[in-house]
Amino acid sequence: MAEVHRQGAKAGSEIQMKDARRVDLVRWSEHLSAQRRHPELVKAIARAAAAGSICEDLRTALASLRLIETRQKESTREDIRTINDETTITGALFTQAVILYARATFTTGRRPSLLGEAGLTDEERATHDEVKLLRNGAIGHFGRGEGLQDGPLVREAVILSFTRRQRQLGVYIVRAQHKARLATRLIHLIKVRLREVAERQNALFDKVDRLLSEAVKSDPVLGPSLPQFQFDVESFCGSPEAARRPHAQLEAGEVEDMDYVISVPNL
């Protein structure tokens, strides 16, 4: 189980950590939010956390599409055309990729939105719009997906068949487990979006750094409250086994899995 960890931006030397070596700023900001204190700082921390989780959604979506490519290269045409474990896995991976891309870019929820559409090229925007159609009109809610460039996701026909002795009614369903051309274009778009998130990381964390320093200077009880929100890697990961690798990396000060790291001076 891969664990991804986030660390806040550098903070000023006026923050006295004393007994705490690492502070979970998300938990701390929730405490501030409940007290309706420092709303701009709370918002900045939420956006910094969002950058990490959006990035992870996009990475997982990309990995799902890459896995489809690998598995289909190893499958025969007969395997692809029949409903079996392989096509079920392919469909699940494609559905996951579409849902995760949508969640990272255009669906609403409790996470702040960071990725707009202004920086996309015409071709990238067309892919984005097609994924939006697919998610909203065929995956998130049932629909055929008629507007997709390479044909609908689902085709349905009610067949009235005449024979010599009787009439028969039946339903034929054709369901594409994934859309290969769209998947290729989506891989490119996800890479573009990942670069977009990466380009915003320093600005997001610099803002947290600035607002945190300003808040500590103006609020004398703020700095001393930080040690109450120590980052417990075992609780965060869910088990000692899952926490073993990140804990060792944290102790060594070289965390390979940590995204968006800015060095923090000794406090």
Side-chain angles (χ1 to χ4, degrees):
M1 175 180 176
E3 297 290 344
V4 179
H5 311 282
R6 320 292 177 197
Q7 176 171 304
K10 56 186 179 181
S13 59
E14 69 273 14
I15 302 174
Q16 301 300 314
M17 296 295 290
K18 294 184 180 180
D19 297 329
R21 295 180 59 194
R22 303 179 196 93
V23 173
D24 183 347
L25 291 182
V26 170
R27 288 178 52 229
W28 184 62
S29 69
E30 290 170 351
H31 172 72
L32 294 179
S33 179
Q35 297 182 337
R36 298 185 178 180
R37 298 165 59 202
H38 305 285
E40 191 176 359
L41 173 58
V42 169
K43 181 179 178 180
I45 293 170
R47 288 173 66 81
S53 61
I54 286 171
C55 182
E56 195 62 17
D57 279 351
L58 293 172
R59 285 175 176 168
T60 304
L62 182 59
S64 298
L65 295 174
R66 289 298 195 198
L67 186 54
I68 290 173
E69 288 184 331
T70 300
R71 297 182 73 94
Q72 289 205 331
K73 286 177 182 177
E74 298 170 353
S75 300
T76 66
R77 296 299 301 174
E78 289 72 22
D79 289 339
I80 295 172
R81 290 171 182 269
T82 58
I83 297 178
N84 55 23
D85 289 349
E86 188 60 38
T87 54
T88 300
I89 291 169
T90 297
L93 289 169
F94 183 69
T95 297
Q96 171 169 268
V98 170
I99 289 173
L100 289 177
Y101 176 80
R103 191 168 76 184
T105 60
F106 62 81
T107 57
T108 59
R110 297 179 61 185
R111 182 172 63 190
S113 177
L114 297 180
L115 297 177
E117 301 175 23
L120 300 178
T121 66
D122 290 344
E123 184 177 351
E124 290 161 357
R125 187 186 296 272
T127 301
H128 175 84
D129 289 343
E130 191 169 358
V131 174
K132 184 183 292 188
L133 171 66
L134 181 60
R135 186 269 175 194
N136 293 341
I139 290 180
H141 309 280
F142 179 78
R144 298 184 181 91
E146 287 92 341
L148 299 176
Q149 289 187 23
D150 52 349
L153 195 71
V154 177
R155 290 186 173 93
E156 301 168 307
V158 177
I159 305 299
L160 173 60
S161 178
F162 295 92
T163 66
R164 292 181 179 179
R165 296 184 179 180
Q166 62 183 356
R167 296 194 306 271
Q168 289 184 325
L169 282 171
V171 178
Y172 279 172
I173 305 291
V174 175
R175 185 184 300 269
Q177 294 301 90
H178 98 294
K179 309 297 287 183
R181 294 177 184 173
L182 176 58
T184 298
R185 288 184 281 117
L186 182 54
I187 286 172
H188 167 77
L189 181 56
I190 290 172
K191 291 179 179 178
V192 170
R193 296 307 222 170
L194 282 168
R195 289 195 295 270
E196 189 178 347
V197 174
E199 288 169 359
R200 301 194 63 180
Q201 64 180 344
N202 286 337
L204 289 167
F205 279 87
D206 284 345
K207 186 171 185 178
V208 172
D209 178 17
R210 175 177 59 81
L211 292 174
L212 180 58
S213 297
E214 292 172 357
V216 168
K217 288 178 181 178
S218 65
D219 187 341
V221 302
L222 206 60
S225 72
L226 284 168
Q228 302 173 36
F229 300 91
Q230 294 187 54
F231 176 69
D232 183 339
V233 65
E234 289 192 5
S235 296
F236 184 77
C237 293
S239 71
E241 293 76 17
R244 188 173 294 114
R245 182 169 179 266
H247 181 75
Q249 291 182 343
L250 285 167
E251 290 300 314
E254 299 178 357
V255 185
E256 297 174 2
D257 296 335
M258 189 181 291
D259 285 346
Y260 311 148
V261 173
I262 300 176
S263 297
V264 180
N266 294 327
L267 302 177

